[in-house]
Amino acid sequence: MNEELVVIGIDGGGTHTRVMVCDLRGHVLSYIERGSASFYKDENAVQNVQGALADALRQANRAHDHVQALVAGVAGFDAPNDLEWITPLTELPGLTCPKWHVNDAVSAHAGALLGEPGIVVIAGTGSIIVGITEDGQFIRNYDFHHYAASAARFIAYDAVYEILAGNTDGTDQELVQAMLAHWQFSSIDGLAAAAKKGFAEDRRERDKQFGEFAPAITAAAAQGSSTAIRVCSRAVDQIKVGLELIAASFASSEVTVTFIGSVANSPYFLERLNERLLHGNRKQYRVAKPQLSPVIGSVLLALKNLNIPIASDVIENLRNGMSH
């Protein structure tokens, strides 16, 4: 096996782009993080991804013609016409290897469950629930036209609306103060006036500002804020509905579930999700920690597309590479 040959895996999220270059035995040669890969979140998405690719190859000391395959898992790849903005992300001049573009949930599933059947719940910058059944069906909650409004910005919008509507009590004081500080207002009236004008004209900037407030909401829920608990509980319930929709297609009575993303892995969400899944409607659920990261999932898919066996030593090399 030519020692110089490599594959590239990309995890293109709404907040961060992660690029990994590995040899064909899974040794990690470079790992780079940059800004968003989503056109909907950052107008500089193409520059972010192409810049990360160039830096990763440079750090790995590999030329473009050493690359045998590239897999990019990209947030927001939900329909074939999305390729219009997704394909340019990886069109680095001179990089002519075979390229596969998939939804970032596909890469997340490949890394988290190593190709085994199960369901991955992603709730962070974005939200999607995906499952791969025992007979290889790939099912998304989107396929049912279901969406779990559990992405960071959605729980923030929900909390702001609740507070502006006056649905608060004494347990919410710290959350209200944190909200006013985040938006730099001294009173609810000031925040309400900004809300009537749509908060901010630029949608990307507005969503980013709301998304950045989500950790304050999950923390407030853990501290007993009734508004934060109400908002988070709604999101958890929507996740469970989407999860159960997908689980119905599994043959086994027990389905493995894993959680990815800043919202899903916040202490409050993790605790509530685990509680809810103790009482499945048709299935029993086994909650597992993700085996490997989504960017490694993309690497595994790249190796698979080259028909390279994913032996245990390859997995171990990838795991060790990320731990250094």
Side-chain angles (χ1 to χ4, degrees):
M1 188 179 290
N2 188 331
E3 298 286 336
E4 292 188 313
L5 300 182
V6 296
V7 296
I8 298 177
I10 301 175
D11 172 30
T15 303
H16 300 290
T17 296
R18 298 174 173 90
V19 176
M20 180 178 283
V21 178
C22 298
D23 69 17
L24 304 188
R25 293 182 297 171
H27 295 108
V28 178
L29 304 178
S30 66
Y31 174 73
I32 295 287
E33 289 191 14
R34 291 290 182 270
S36 174
S38 172
F39 166 78
Y40 299 109
K41 302 290 190 298
D42 189 339
E43 60 186 11
N44 296 316
V46 170
Q47 294 94 311
N48 292 340
V49 178
Q50 290 192 10
L53 274 170
D55 287 349
L57 282 170
R58 197 176 302 115
Q59 190 180 93
N61 196 27
R62 293 296 187 273
H64 293 170
D65 59 0
H66 290 137
V67 184
Q68 301 301 290
L70 177 153
V71 170
V74 184
F77 184 11
D78 302 320
N81 62 0
D82 287 320
L83 283 169
E84 292 176 13
W85 64 266
I86 288 171
T87 303
L89 296 174
T90 58
E91 288 179 343
L92 187 68
L95 188 62
T96 58
C97 68
K99 299 169 186 174
W100 289 267
H101 301 89
V102 297
N103 183 281
D104 61 333
V106 177
S107 295
H109 196 291
L113 298 178
L114 302 181
E116 294 297 314
I119 296 175
V120 172
V121 173
I122 299 178
T125 305
S127 168
I128 189 171
I129 307 167
V130 298
I132 296 180
T133 63
E134 298 89 345
D135 60 357
Q137 292 182 68
F138 179 76
I139 310 170
R140 311 171 302 170
N141 63 322
Y142 293 2
D143 297 328
F144 299 86
H145 299 291
H146 173 271
Y147 185 79
S150 54
R153 66 188 184 281
F154 285 114
I155 65 170
Y157 277 113
D158 201 8
V160 170
Y161 298 149
E162 287 277 337
I163 286 172
L164 291 179
N167 297 331
T168 58
D169 60 27
T171 64
D172 298 317
Q173 288 180 356
E174 288 187 21
L175 177 61
V176 171
Q177 290 307 310
M179 189 175 290
L180 292 174
H182 183 75
W183 272 275
Q184 298 182 335
F185 289 104
S186 58
S187 68
I188 290 293
D189 288 344
L191 181 60
K196 278 190 286 190
K197 296 175 182 176
F199 295 101
E201 284 188 24
D202 183 78
R203 182 181 59 80
R204 291 188 184 100
E205 184 55 39
R206 184 173 65 249
D207 284 349
K208 183 172 182 285
Q209 193 172 33
F210 272 83
E212 288 171 347
F213 187 62
I217 298 165
T218 57
Q223 291 161 7
S225 160
S226 64
T227 294
I229 289 170
R230 195 162 58 249
V231 165
C232 292
S233 294
R234 278 199 286 260
V236 167
D237 288 343
Q238 290 179 49
I239 288 172
K240 185 170 185 283
V241 168
L243 199 153
E244 298 260 30
L245 284 170
I246 295 169
S249 295
F250 281 72
S252 173
S253 60
E254 183 181 81
V255 178
T256 301
V257 179
T258 192
F259 303 114
I260 292 174
S262 57
V263 175
N265 281 290
S266 66
Y268 186 83
F269 264 74
L270 268 183
E271 188 175 338
R272 295 289 90 78
L273 285 165
N274 275 278
E275 285 177 2
R276 297 284 205 283
L277 294 185
L278 288 174
H279 310 288
N281 292 330
R282 298 186 185 91
K283 304 288 183 181
Q284 292 181 312
Y285 296 102
R286 184 180 73 85
V287 177
K289 289 185 177 180
Q291 291 281 317
L292 296 168
S293 66
V295 71
I296 294 182
S298 288
V299 169
L300 292 172
L301 291 172
L303 293 170
K304 183 179 178 182
N305 286 338
L306 293 175
N307 296 314
I308 293 173
I310 310 298
S312 57
D313 62 319
V314 172
I315 298 292
E316 199 57 34
N317 289 337
L318 287 164
R319 200 189 301 275
N320 290 337
M322 281 304 288
S323 63
H324 295 317

